[in-house]
Amino acid sequence: MRPYAGLEVSLEDTAICIVDETGKVVRELRGASEPDLLIETLATTGLEFECIGLEACSLSSWQHQGLTRAGLPALCIETRAAKAAMGAMPNKTDRNDARGLAQIIRTGWYRAVLVRGRQADRHVRCSAQVGRC
């Protein structure tokens, strides 16, 4: 089985949906939105993920860095493409969004976005302060 996961991140917790290569939902769960705790939650499944997708948002950079640092195959997908793909879903909930993201990742109907590292974020903030680093 080649599992794919979609993560719908919010401030306190993250909805997680895991699907197999055919699109069948294997497992749904929730985990804390802090990267280390999220990694622990994913590890409890005992699965070796093909890909883990997050929609680009203010928290996704932090989540993505934690997941990739732990050796997980995570990527952030472009928000507009995700919304367009999930637009036909009747009920907007975190659970349904996680399901939609998992299916988007499985099918490859996404556009990945570049996630800057911590050093690049620091450089951008410092540049905005006009040489005050």
Side-chain angles (χ1 to χ4, degrees):
M1 178 176 79
R2 296 177 22 206
Y4 298 84
L7 279 58
E8 176 62 25
V9 180
S10 63
L11 286 176
E12 293 185 19
D13 62 358
T14 298
I16 304 166
C17 179
I18 302 167
V19 298
D20 64 15
E21 64 273 4
T22 67
K24 179 182 173 208
V25 174
V26 174
R27 190 155 180 208
E28 293 179 300
L29 51 147
R30 294 188 87 76
S33 287
E34 201 271 301
D36 291 336
L37 298 175
L38 187 56
I39 292 163
E40 287 178 23
T41 301
L42 291 169
T44 64
T45 65
L47 299 170
E48 194 169 317
F49 294 95
E50 185 74 24
C51 190
I52 299 170
L54 305 101
E55 187 175 355
C57 69
S58 58
L59 295 175
S60 59
S61 174
W62 181 46
Q63 298 287 358
H64 179 270
Q65 289 171 18
L67 293 169
T68 56
R69 201 173 314 124
L72 294 170
L75 60 86
C76 287
I77 62 173
E78 204 265 331
T79 304
R80 286 180 296 188
K83 284 187 190 231
M86 294 188 298
M89 295 174 69
N91 298 326
K92 176 133 176 62
T93 65
D94 287 349
R95 180 182 182 195
N96 285 342
D97 285 354
R99 282 181 173 189
L101 289 169
Q103 296 297 349
I104 290 168
I105 295 300
R106 179 185 67 82
T107 60
W109 285 24
Y110 61 84
R111 187 174 312 149
V113 296
L114 177 65
V115 179
R116 292 190 312 233
R118 294 177 76 191
Q119 191 64 27
D121 284 341
R122 183 176 183 278
H123 177 73
V124 170
R125 284 193 304 273
C126 290
S127 297
Q129 295 176 0
V130 190
R132 289 167 137 202
C133 283

